[in-house]
Amino acid sequence: MDDVIEAVALRALEHRYRIWGFGEGPALLGLLRAGERLGRPQWIGAVADLVAPSLHRPPDVTDHLIPVEVLTELARLRPGLDVAPAVARFRAAVAGVVHRPDLGPFVWVDCMHTDGPGLPPEPARLAIEAVAALLASPGGLFSHGHDGVRANGVHWGRGQGWALSGLLAVGSPRVPSLVAALERHEEDGRWRTVVDLDGAPVEHSVSAFVAAALPSTPMGKRALAAALDALDGDGGLPVSEATPIGDAASYLTRATGVFPWGQGPLLLALLEAAR
């Protein structure tokens, strides 16, 4: 298992992180934990070098993307780093359900994975439930986004992973219905890029997220096996590129590659399986 963890981590290290960009948090968190487990202080140092210049920046429109769980773990491993100002910037940035008013009244399912772990318990619960109320569909799945008038109605595969992460972080009562919906659409540990659209491409990042979120369940174990089976020969999990909100057809032709939103949840799932 450690050999696989190392291969997945090394591919995660190859990415050019934006600090902060959508979906970077799980990979950085996975690198910190993998570095500690495998005795690779250089991985922890690499994450610290990436993150440290951002810690005392002035407020920025991307502050809602700061993954507080990464900063918390980094502070534990590198006690000399003062992460408090960056945590404060994140919490100020997510004070409302619309995190990027400069882009319009949009709400993204992606933000559930940062809001849940990044806020104190009660504000986190309120934030997650507010987003869930806008994006939840009757069958338990979540739309990718809301434009201020209506949800887009597309049950993006990776978005279910983001939602599951955020809901679990706050112990939401919506978790069972989402898990049941994922079980209905599962194909032996795999899901499609639009989970309820027959013929849509398989999206391996969903397997990684389910494996990381539900490691002790039969579905989580099937998801981990499916993700491992999808690895290329060098530790990379092929997943779809960054995906904007759109109509269902726009999700079907995204390019694939190796990205933090595949490597990260897979690393976290592998680390949990190796415990």
Side-chain angles (χ1 to χ4, degrees):
M1 182 69 75
D2 283 357
D3 289 346
V4 181
I5 291 172
E6 179 143 19
V8 173
L10 289 173
R11 290 300 294 276
L13 280 166
E14 293 177 2
H15 185 75
R16 297 183 65 179
Y17 293 88
R18 294 172 57 190
I19 313 295
W20 299 102
F22 273 112
E24 293 180 343
L28 296 172
L29 183 62
L31 284 168
L32 291 173
R33 292 180 177 171
E36 183 177 34
R37 173 182 169 81
L38 299 184
R40 302 290 189 272
Q42 67 272 26
W43 297 355
I44 297 170
V47 175
D49 289 344
L50 284 167
V51 172
S54 74
L55 295 177
H56 297 275
R57 287 178 185 164
D60 184 82
V61 293
T62 63
D63 284 346
H64 69 291
L65 300 174
I66 294 172
V68 171
E69 68 273 28
V70 173
L71 302 186
T72 302
E73 190 77 350
L74 187 57
R76 181 181 69 82
L77 295 166
R78 293 289 179 89
L81 285 177
D82 179 15
V83 303
V87 173
R89 294 203 322 270
F90 167 79
R91 291 177 174 174
V94 301
V97 70
V98 175
H99 294 349
R100 286 292 301 272
D102 59 306
L103 298 180
F106 296 103
V107 176
W108 293 274
V109 72
D110 317 43
C111 293
M112 293 174 75
H113 90 286
T114 49
D115 291 6
L119 290 168
E122 184 59 13
R125 185 188 68 80
L126 294 173
I128 292 296
E129 294 300 338
V131 173
L134 291 173
L135 300 181
S137 296
L141 297 172
F142 287 82
S143 290
H144 185 176
H146 193 285
D147 65 4
V149 178
R150 63 182 63 85
N152 76 326
V154 178
H155 302 131
W156 178 42
R158 188 156 58 247
Q160 310 315 306
W162 295 131
L164 184 59
S165 297
L167 293 168
L168 282 168
V170 300
S172 172
R174 296 179 185 269
V175 169
S177 60
L178 174 54
V179 170
L182 288 169
E183 287 177 335
R184 288 196 300 273
H185 296 290
E186 179 194 352
E187 299 176 32
D188 195 20
R190 297 171 177 85
W191 289 265
R192 298 186 179 274
T193 195
V194 178
V195 295
D196 53 350
L197 180 60
D198 291 342
V202 170
E203 175 52 50
H204 298 302
S205 65
V206 190
S207 298
F209 273 106
V210 171
L214 305 170
S216 62
T217 67
M219 184 168 69
K221 293 175 181 178
R222 292 191 300 270
L224 180 57
L228 291 174
D229 188 58
L231 288 176
D232 64 19
D234 198 25
L237 183 66
V239 301
S240 59
E241 65 184 337
T243 303
I245 299 169
D247 59 16
S250 70
Y251 292 76
L252 308 184
T253 56
R254 305 302 299 178
T256 59
V258 177
F259 297 104
W261 43 88
Q263 299 303 106
L266 180 55
L267 258 183
L268 295 173
L270 288 167
L271 289 163
E272 187 62 31
R275 291 179 59 180

